[in-house]
């Protein structure tokens, strides 16, 4: 029998505050990218990340593109990225005409492995681009120790990790520049949207310039370089301001959901949920189940029959046709995780009953051998 309710893998938590701010933005007539909510969202987000500058952009992919451009990345440069990530990370490197270098992830964090990064560094390496995958921070201290003496920049892809901490420091402000996404399935959403964060005044000014058609700040309609329209609208920012005011609440609810999953799956041998390194304060973006008992696609089909939506892990970049020519080292960890991983539903709005309703068929599928 099919369950009467469909549980999506992810769902935004939109409340009265969001409705109020968005209505206010629409009523004010400031519907495009000029308006008070954009500035407020930027300054509130900078505080949230404990960083000097936050620049709102149209989405997480454009955030990555403009951040790489601000770092001066172009043809001939190599950018080191993890093999296991969403395609946007690698695409942003391709947009710049640079070469992505695919590096394996660490089994402790599922993020780029600093020891593998060290092997991949060449004289052409311009940027190391760690991704704080599924809400767990990459080991930023180890990466910065490799990058700093070699004058290599570090760009954090924090699209999945709003508010996560690495040894007490909030992600997005640890490397030279950081990027966030506010897509509908992310921890905080603006529908579509993104943010670039940095403590560097020069990088901040370059991002502001490039994301708004590279217009000379002193001469209107004079554009000395090719720029982009990567702006966020005031309506999106209104939604973002409300989400950000509720960030503690949304994160606490998600932590409760993650704890319920951990309790419910405790005691099943060979079944792993999201990693949690001792030095890290991860945030729960997706619930990630990695196991050897049942093929991930079989488990996904069983759950779909019960009205429970899931997602496979990201396909490693080295399997994508557009990244075939990328440079790559051996990638066993990315392959292992991608082959066995499945994302289970996670949303701030999931209650304990819902989670036990999901865990019942998961446990029975994993136990019936
Ligand atoms: C979501 C995501 C992006 C891209 O964000 P969009 O806002 O969808 O463009 C980039 N990197 C990672 C790791 C993501 O998960």
């Amino acid at each position: 029998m099919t369950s009467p309710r469909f549980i999506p893998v992810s769902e935004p938590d939109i409340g009265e505050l969001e409705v109020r701010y968005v209505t206010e933005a629409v009523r004010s007539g400031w519907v495009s990218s000029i308006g008070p909510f954009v500035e407020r969202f930027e300054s509130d987000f900078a505080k949230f990340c404990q960083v000097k500058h936050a620049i709102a952009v149209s989405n997480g992919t454009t955030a990555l593109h403009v951040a790489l451009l601000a770092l001066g990345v172009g043809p001939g440069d190599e950018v080191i990225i993890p093999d296991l990530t969403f395609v946007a990370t690698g695409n942003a490197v391709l947009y710049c005409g640079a070469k992505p270098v695919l590096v394996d992830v660490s089994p402790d964090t599922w993020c780029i492995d600093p020891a593998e990064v060290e092997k991949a560094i060449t004289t052409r390496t311009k940027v190391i681009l760690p991704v704080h995958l599924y809400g767990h921070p990459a080991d930023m201290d180890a990466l910065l120790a490799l990058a700093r003496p070699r004058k290599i920049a570090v760009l954090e892809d924090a699209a999945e990790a709003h508010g996560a901490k690495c040894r007490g420091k909030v992600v997005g402000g640890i490397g030279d520049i950081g990027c966030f996404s506010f897509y509908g399935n992310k921890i905080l959403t603006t529908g579509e949207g993104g943010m670039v964060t940095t403590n560097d005044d020069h990088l901040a000014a370059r991002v502001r310039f490039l994301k708004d058609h590279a217009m000379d700040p002193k001469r209107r309609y004079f554009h000395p370089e090719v720029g982009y329209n990567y702006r966020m609208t005031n309506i999106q920012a209104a939604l973002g301001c409300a989400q950000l005011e509720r960030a503690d609440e949304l994160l606490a609810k998600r932590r409760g959901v993650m704890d319920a999953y951990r309790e419910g799956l405790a005691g099943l041998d060979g079944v792993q949920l999201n990693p949690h390194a001792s030095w890290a304060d991860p945030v729960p973006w997706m619930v990630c189940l990695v196991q050897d008992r049942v093929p991930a696609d079989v488990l996904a089909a069983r759950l779909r029959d019960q009205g429970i939506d899931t997602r496979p892990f990201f396909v490693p970049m080295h399997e994508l046709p557009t990244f075939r020519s990328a440079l790559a080292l051996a990638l066993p960890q990315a392959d292992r995780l991608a082959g066995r991983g499945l994302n289970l539903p996670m949303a701030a709005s999931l209650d304990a009953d819902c989670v036990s309703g999901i865990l019942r068929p998961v446990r029975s599928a994993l136990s019936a051998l």
Side-chain angles (χ1 to χ4, degrees):
M1 210 184 87
T2 323
S3 135
R5 223 190 118 191
F6 173 76
I7 304 173
V9 74
S10 161
E11 194 172 34
D13 186 317
I14 308 292
E16 282 310 308
L17 192 66
E18 283 82 350
V19 172
R20 209 171 86 213
Y21 286 1
V22 170
T23 306
E24 193 180 319
V26 175
R27 288 228 168 96
S28 75
W30 294 104
V31 293
S32 286
S33 54
I34 300 172
F37 280 114
V38 178
E39 282 164 39
R40 179 165 148 196
F41 188 37
E42 289 181 337
S43 75
D44 290 355
F45 198 76
K47 272 194 212 101
F48 178 76
C49 294
Q50 299 171 14
V51 72
K52 191 167 174 195
H53 305 279
I55 302 119
V57 293
S58 49
N59 59 58
T61 310
T62 56
L64 288 165
H65 184 202
V66 82
L68 286 168
L69 291 172
L71 291 170
V73 172
D77 293 328
E78 291 175 4
V79 177
I80 297 178
I81 67 170
D83 187 37
L84 189 63
T85 180
F86 181 57
V87 69
T89 316
N91 276 347
V93 177
L94 296 180
Y95 300 162
C96 297
K99 203 153 195 66
V101 180
L102 308 177
V103 161
D104 207 3
V105 294
S106 152
D108 303 332
T109 62
W110 299 357
C111 298
I112 201 163
D113 185 338
E116 295 298 307
V117 170
E118 185 163 21
K119 294 185 213 160
I121 290 173
T122 72
T123 51
R124 291 176 299 279
T125 306
K126 183 95 172 180
V127 178
I128 298 171
L129 202 177
V131 177
H132 304 306
L133 196 75
Y134 296 126
H136 194 291
D139 187 346
M140 292 302 296
D141 298 67
L143 295 171
L144 288 169
L146 292 172
R148 291 289 186 243
R150 298 173 171 92
K151 306 241 178 329
I152 297 169
V154 177
L155 189 173
E156 296 173 67
D157 183 343
E160 305 176 357
H162 313 66
K165 288 181 192 155
C166 176
R167 297 183 182 85
K169 282 184 246 160
V170 187
V171 300
I174 308 173
D176 297 283
I177 193 162
C179 293
F180 290 84
S181 165
F182 305 111
Y183 184 67
N185 72 0
K186 298 292 158 78
I187 290 172
L188 304 173
T189 187
T190 62
E192 294 273 0
M195 194 74 83
V196 179
T197 50
T198 181
N199 286 305
D200 184 308
D201 296 345
H202 167 72
L203 288 176
R206 281 295 291 169
V207 170
R208 273 200 195 286
F209 172 72
L210 290 168
K211 75 141 194 189
D212 193 9
H213 291 298
M215 187 159 74
D216 189 331
K218 296 194 193 73
R219 189 173 167 203
R220 196 152 196 105
Y221 303 127
F222 185 73
H223 308 268
E225 292 176 45
V226 175
Y228 303 83
N229 174 359
Y230 283 172
R231 299 177 305 236
M232 176 184 278
T233 69
N234 197 48
I235 303 172
Q236 292 168 306
L239 190 50
C241 284
Q243 288 268 288
L244 198 50
E245 266 184 53
R246 297 179 54 222
D248 287 346
E249 173 207 333
L250 295 174
L251 283 168
K253 283 181 175 170
R254 281 176 172 268
R255 284 200 181 95
V257 174
M258 185 62 100
D259 290 347
Y261 272 106
R262 281 200 194 282
E263 268 169 43
L265 290 171
L268 281 178
D269 281 343
V271 175
Q272 190 197 356
L273 286 175
N274 303 51
H276 188 161
S278 59
W279 44 265
D281 292 303
V283 285
W285 180 47
M286 291 279 174
V287 175
C288 303
L289 177 73
V290 175
Q291 49 83 33
D292 287 316
R293 295 177 173 226
V294 183
D297 55 342
V298 173
L299 179 59
R302 292 271 297 263
L303 296 175
R304 199 180 313 117
D305 290 343
Q306 305 281 322
I308 300 162
D309 191 23
T310 62
R311 289 286 179 280
F313 273 24
F314 298 123
V315 175
M317 294 297 106
H318 74 269
E319 286 188 28
L320 304 180
T322 45
F323 290 85
R324 285 269 158 76
S325 67
L327 306 168
L329 303 176
L331 304 158
Q333 295 299 335
D335 276 331
R336 183 186 68 89
L337 290 166
R340 291 166 176 71
L342 194 68
N343 296 134
L344 302 178
M346 163 57 88
S349 52
L350 281 183
D351 57 25
D353 277 355
C354 228
V355 176
S356 26
I358 295 164
L359 283 172
R360 230 170 288 120
V362 170
R363 281 194 73 101
S364 90
L366 295 183
S367 313
L369 284 178

